[in-house]
Amino acid sequence: MKINKKIINKIEGEATLKIEGDKKIDFVQIEFWQYHGIEEYLKNKNYMDALVINPRVCGICGHSHLHATVKVIEKVFKAKISKKAQIFREVTSLLEIVENHIKWFYITIYPTQIKDKEYLFKAVKFSSKISKAIAILAGQFPHNSYMVPGGVTCDPTYMEIMRLKDLIKEIKEEYIKEIMDENLTSHDLERFFENLPKDIGKSLNKFLVLGESNIFKSNGDYKNVKEERNKSLSKNALYNNEYYEVGPLARMIINKNKNIKKIYDIYSDSIYTRMCARIYEPLLLLDYIEQKLSEVDLCEPSFLKPNVRNGKAIVAVEAPRGSLIHEISIKNEKIDYYNIVVPTQFNLASSTKENPSPAQAALMNEDIAYVDSVFRCFDICAVCMSH
């Protein structure tokens, strides 16, 4: 059996694929060979240090790590926050998801089929506007730490909220015009599939959403997640000892989105359905953000001082690539234990031919020429994976 070794790069980090098979993929092992040791580094640090360290797990979804970090600390402290602070956190976290989806589409997966570099500039244009919108509430982006136990550090004026609303409206109108409209019409997506079958990359057809949010309904309990080591430096994540797909397609299926369901009924959990779900999700999120910003009461406090306590807690949030879990133990204001489970551990786990992970299952029995596109439709977050 011939084994091909392929390096899949992304903005940060890389994955190694060991592909068994000649023209057809018989099996593929997925390896990550970086290790950062963030969880070890957090031990004996003050709990507030996690707000600065954890966003640096990843340069492209650091906001999700900040959101999970502050929520898990607040769960230990039994802290309350104002509705205003909750809305601001939701808005910036969802904007990060929108930005990630656009970057993934045009920078990560699009070049596997379309070599026109003009599309990179489209991603940069949207990313720039979204970063400006996030900065109104969160300051610098990425790696901000504006969420703190008890609320947020910002206190925007009425004019700043108006500016934010205008930016969201502008981003949404341009998204509908240039990327995908409410009827899922997307010239760019159809061009991507001009020479690529839409029904390849079918996976396990099992979906999981664990994040606690007002917009995504969950279908599982993160306490049933366990990690196991694979042959590289990363860990696999399983739910009730089985592999599940997490991310935008899982969120659409679990939340019974009618538009994506029509495509799913034709193509099942193929690369086309997975890409449609991810490109369509920003429209839902931008609608939700507009609605939440209309509910902001600027007279509410941004911060309510919490009582510091000892204890343990675990939370899950929905990040761009799927469910993100943070777990902490705090003793005398110090971090005694910290554990992070990232979405890539679910989707890009490296298991066996008999019990494959979502990405492995999607690649098996496909033409070897489709490796890049099928693998990248799950997205790669090597730095999160090797945290």
Side-chain angles (χ1 to χ4, degrees), residues 307-318:
N307 294 317
V308 177
R309 304 169 190 258
N310 294 335
K312 301 176 182 178
I314 179 171
V315 302
V317 301
E318 282 303 305

Side-chain angles (χ1 to χ4, degrees), residues 118-375:
E118 284 298 313
Y119 290 96
L120 301 179
F121 294 106
K122 185 183 277 193
V124 170
K125 185 189 80 169
F126 277 93
S127 177
S128 173
K129 288 187 178 180
I130 294 169
S131 295
K132 285 180 182 175
I134 293 175
I136 290 174
L137 298 176
Q140 69 169 38
F141 182 79
H143 299 156
N144 64 71
S145 299
Y146 92 108
M147 300 182 201
V148 293
V152 293
T153 57
C154 65
D155 203 5
T157 64
Y158 176 76
M159 291 302 292
E160 287 171 325
I161 295 299
M162 289 299 292
R163 173 61 182 145
L164 180 56
K165 286 180 177 178
D166 286 344
L167 265 174
I168 301 300
K169 183 182 177 188
E170 188 177 318
I171 292 165
K172 184 182 166 187
E173 288 175 349
E174 290 182 3
Y175 195 96
I176 291 171
K177 183 179 177 184
E178 299 181 31
I179 300 180
M180 178 179 273
D181 67 20
E182 294 93 336
N183 298 314
L184 276 75
T185 303
S186 172
H187 172 76
D188 291 352
L189 183 62
E190 294 307 315
R191 188 180 179 201
F192 181 84
F193 282 98
E194 281 178 351
N195 298 304
L196 187 72
K198 292 181 175 178
D199 60 350
I200 61 173
K202 291 177 182 173
S203 184
L204 301 174
N205 222 359
K206 295 194 299 183
F207 306 104
L208 185 64
V209 178
L210 298 172
E212 303 157 331
S213 77
N214 296 323
I215 187 169
F216 302 121
K217 183 176 71 176
S218 70
N219 67 331
D221 186 340
Y222 42 74
K223 293 173 184 171
N224 296 328
V225 173
K226 77 167 187 179
E227 295 175 284
E228 64 176 24
R229 291 205 169 276
N230 57 40
K231 292 181 179 177
S232 65
L233 295 179
S234 61
K235 295 177 185 175
N236 301 336
L238 300 94
Y239 184 80
N240 283 335
N241 298 314
E242 295 183 24
Y243 288 105
Y244 283 82
E245 179 173 346
V246 298
L249 177 57
R251 293 194 282 258
M252 293 295 139
I253 297 299
I254 298 304
N255 286 272
K256 297 182 170 53
N257 182 277
K258 291 179 181 177
N259 287 332
I260 297 302
K261 180 68 167 50
K262 289 177 186 173
I263 293 172
Y264 174 79
D265 287 343
I266 300 171
Y267 297 104
S268 186
D269 60 337
S270 70
I271 179 176
Y272 183 69
T273 316
R274 193 167 291 112
M275 289 182 70
C276 275
R278 190 158 182 181
I279 301 168
Y280 179 63
E281 192 174 65
L283 290 174
L284 304 180
L285 302 186
L286 291 168
D287 277 346
Y288 181 79
I289 289 168
E290 284 185 323
Q291 174 200 327
K292 298 310 289 185
L293 284 176
S294 68
E295 299 174 10
V296 171
D297 179 359
L298 291 178
C299 293
E300 286 189 352
S302 294
F303 174 73
L304 301 171
K305 188 175 181 180
N307 294 317
V308 177
R309 304 169 190 258
N310 294 335
K312 301 176 182 178
I314 179 171
V315 302
V317 301
E318 282 303 305
R321 276 158 283 276
S323 303
L324 168 67
I325 301 169
H326 278 221
E327 183 177 9
I328 195 171
S329 173
I330 299 175
K331 287 183 180 176
N332 301 320
E333 302 190 14
K334 302 278 188 180
I335 297 171
D336 185 53
Y337 171 80
Y338 209 102
N339 190 51
I340 300 171
V341 181
V342 302
T344 310
Q345 289 179 246
F346 290 94
N347 289 339
L348 302 188
S350 194
S351 183
T352 63
K353 186 176 179 180
E354 294 73 27
N355 183 31
S357 70
Q360 288 176 310
L363 287 164
M364 287 165 63
N365 301 315
E366 292 296 356
D367 192 305
I368 204 163
Y370 303 148
V371 166
D372 262 353
S373 296
V374 172
F375 188 68

Side-chain angles (χ1 to χ4, degrees), residues 10 32 58 60-61 321 344 348 379-386:
K10 206 192 167 186
F32 293 89
C58 180
I60 51 180
C61 59
R321 276 158 283 276
T344 310
L348 302 188
D379 206 355
I380 313 154
C381 200
V383 285
C384 275
M385 190 71 163
S386 54

